[in-house]
């Protein structure tokens, strides 16, 4: 077994191994060591990236925790890397990559998340809605780290599908969406079609999200996934795409920093206001900043053939040309 939880350190935290990577934390930082180098990341930032990498099962393509450490999803196996997409490391052959079984890496990451998250810290919450991640080990926050990700089979609210949200099932309207109307559409289905015809107030549904930067699948038609999310402060990962992603800004504003996926060279800044639509190319990395809690619809194409088609340049990285 390449992954083992070993000793408890002076700060009360367990140390973890994954391949040749060694992970430990102190009061302020997550420390990552490998045979030819070492790195540290502020632990609040690390746990916020870690919980998303675990909950999203390594997501699409690259999840950069910062400009050094992260994962590449190969949908079965995963590359856990240091410096792989950082020219400073690459040019001097100082990067390190471990290719591991996705299940093994994910269970080690989940155990690390469980042990390193203190009582009161919620890595999915906005900074204003969580306590501190710092200090020696004190308690745990199982409720916050074991939320199951919303994944609709067809559409939220349909029979035998992920439920809509209300006060009674534990999803009150968020403090920043107090002005969002909560009325629901009337649906009059023909007899026999009551479980097929469906509509709900999408804004009301999102106003009751208790997490940030966590796209959930609310409607699915084959590979077409509608993944809305509520955003506040900064996306805790820098996502390297392996396919095009469409963004629809449903409310307020997000600014995106967009760079070359492999080198990190800055390419563009997109300021998206309510109603704006953009297609994020398949060869970029991006990080979003939302000054106020906002609603974003991420439209994903889950076709497993896509990464290879883009890698072989059989599809161009941008889906639209405006010329
Ligand atoms: C993305 O990387 O495309 C992404 C991730 C999380 C979000 C929104 C967008 O909440
Ligand atoms: Fe992305």
């Amino acid at each position: 077994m390449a992954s083992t939880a070993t000793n408890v350190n002076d700060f009360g935290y367990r140390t973890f191994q994954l391949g040749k990577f060694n992970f430990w934390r102190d009061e302020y930082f997550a420390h990552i060591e490998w045979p030819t180098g070492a790195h540290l990341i502020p632990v609040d930032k690390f746990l916020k990236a870690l919980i998303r990498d675990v909950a999203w099962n390594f997501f699409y393509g690259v999840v950069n925790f910062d400009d050094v450490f992260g994962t590449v999803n190969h949908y079965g196996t995963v590359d856990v890397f240091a410096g792989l997409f950082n020219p400073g490391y690459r040019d001097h052959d100082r990067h390190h990559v471990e290719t591991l079984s996705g299940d093994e890496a994910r269970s080690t990451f989940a155990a690390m998340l469980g042990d390193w998250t203190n009582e009161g810290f919620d890595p999915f919450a906005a900074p204003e809605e969580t306590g501190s991640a710092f200090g020696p080990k004190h308690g745990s926050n199982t409720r916050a780290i074991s939320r199951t990700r919303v994944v609709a089979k067809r559409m939220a609210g349909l029979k035998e599908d992920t439920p809509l949200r209300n006060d009674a099932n534990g999803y009150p309207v968020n403090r920043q969406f107090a002005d969002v109307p909560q009325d629901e559409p009337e649906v009059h289905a023909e007899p026999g079609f009551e479980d097929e015809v469906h509509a709900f107030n999408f804004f009301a549904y999102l106003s009751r999200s208790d997490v940030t930067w966590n796209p959930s699948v609310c409607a699915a038609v084959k590979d077409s996934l509608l993944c809305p999310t509520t955003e506040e402060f900064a996306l805790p990962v820098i996502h390297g795409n392996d396919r095009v992603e469409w963004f629809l800004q449903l409310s307020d504003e997000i600014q995106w920093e967009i760079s070359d996926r492999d080198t990190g060279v800055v390419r563009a800044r997109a300021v998206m206001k309510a109603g704006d639509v953009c297609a994020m190319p398949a060869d970029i990395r991006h990080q979003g900043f939302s000054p106020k809690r906002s609603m974003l619809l991420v439209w994903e194409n889950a076709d497993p053939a896509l990464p290879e088609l883009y890698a072989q340049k059989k599809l161009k990285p941008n889906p639209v040309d405006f010329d």
Side-chain angles (χ1 to χ4, degrees):
M1 224 177 78
S3 90
T4 44
T6 50
N7 52 316
V8 171
N9 66 17
D10 290 349
F11 307 99
Y13 297 105
R14 283 163 61 192
T15 297
F16 293 86
Q17 276 169 3
L18 191 54
K20 294 197 175 75
F21 280 109
N22 194 31
F23 298 86
W24 58 280
R25 79 157 277 186
D26 58 21
E27 292 181 85
Y28 287 118
F29 296 102
H31 297 258
I32 305 167
E33 296 164 348
W34 60 97
T36 53
H39 185 59
L40 55 72
I41 302 178
V43 78
D44 56 337
K45 184 176 154 123
F46 180 81
L47 292 172
K48 290 199 274 181
L50 188 66
I51 199 171
R52 288 165 177 80
D53 216 15
V54 170
W56 306 343
N57 202 9
F58 305 115
F59 207 34
Y60 300 104
V62 187
V63 171
N64 296 287
F65 286 44
D66 64 1
D67 56 8
V68 174
F69 181 75
T71 58
V72 187
N73 196 353
H74 298 294
Y75 310 96
T77 64
V78 63
D79 292 344
V80 179
F81 66 79
L84 185 63
F85 300 106
N86 182 312
Y89 285 76
R90 289 297 296 261
D91 293 353
H92 298 92
D93 205 22
R94 300 292 286 178
H95 58 290
H96 184 77
V97 184
E98 300 272 341
T99 303
L100 301 156
S101 111
D103 289 343
E104 179 196 324
R106 191 161 174 253
S107 67
T108 302
F109 278 7
M112 202 185 316
L113 178 67
D115 190 69
W116 291 8
T117 302
N118 285 319
E119 183 179 359
F121 182 61
D122 181 348
F124 266 134
E128 282 267 60
E129 297 182 335
T130 178
S132 163
F134 302 127
K137 184 161 173 66
H138 52 283
S140 58
N141 198 348
T142 311
R143 193 202 59 78
I145 62 169
S146 54
R147 291 184 182 95
T148 46
R149 186 175 179 214
V150 170
V151 181
K153 292 193 279 285
R154 289 191 296 166
M155 188 171 170
L158 272 175
K159 195 175 173 202
E160 285 163 15
D161 216 323
T162 183
L164 297 181
R165 300 175 177 135
N166 53 48
D167 290 348
N169 63 15
Y171 293 94
V173 175
N174 183 268
R175 77 198 198 289
Q176 296 224 330
F177 290 138
D179 57 342
V180 175
Q182 297 292 315
D183 54 315
E184 288 293 333
E186 286 181 27
V187 179
H188 302 275
E190 289 289 323
F193 292 88
E194 293 86 350
D195 297 337
E196 309 297 328
V197 182
H198 175 55
F200 65 96
N201 181 339
F202 202 36
F203 287 93
Y205 182 78
L206 282 178
S207 72
R208 295 173 178 276
S209 165
D210 63 341
V211 291
T212 59
W213 304 102
N214 187 28
S216 53
V217 182
C218 283
V221 179
K222 298 185 179 166
D223 286 325
S224 170
L225 308 182
L226 292 186
C227 308
T229 156
T230 52
E231 320 296 48
E232 186 172 330
F233 188 51
L235 174 57
V237 306
I238 308 161
H239 180 219
N241 285 7
D242 67 0
R243 67 198 67 211
V244 167
E245 297 178 305
W246 287 84
F247 288 172
L248 279 75
Q249 189 68 38
L250 298 181
S251 84
D252 303 282
E253 177 178 315
I254 297 178
Q255 298 195 18
W256 289 92
E257 275 175 13
I258 301 151
S259 311
D260 182 84
R261 180 191 53 208
D262 298 335
T263 65
V265 169
V266 171
R267 193 186 285 185
R269 186 167 192 96
V271 180
M272 294 191 67
K273 297 178 189 279
D276 287 349
V277 178
C278 82
M280 288 287 174
D283 60 354
I284 56 97
R285 70 177 76 168
H286 55 193
Q287 184 177 20
F289 302 92
S290 188
K292 179 183 177 303
R293 202 177 190 89
S294 72
M295 297 180 182
L296 172 69
L297 179 60
V298 180
W299 184 25
E300 295 282 5
N301 184 338
D303 183 342
L306 287 175
E308 193 59 22
L309 290 171
Y310 286 112
Q312 293 180 355
K313 303 209 183 324
K314 290 186 176 149
L315 288 174
K316 61 188 174 82
N318 58 313
V320 216
D321 286 310
F322 297 100
D323 51 27

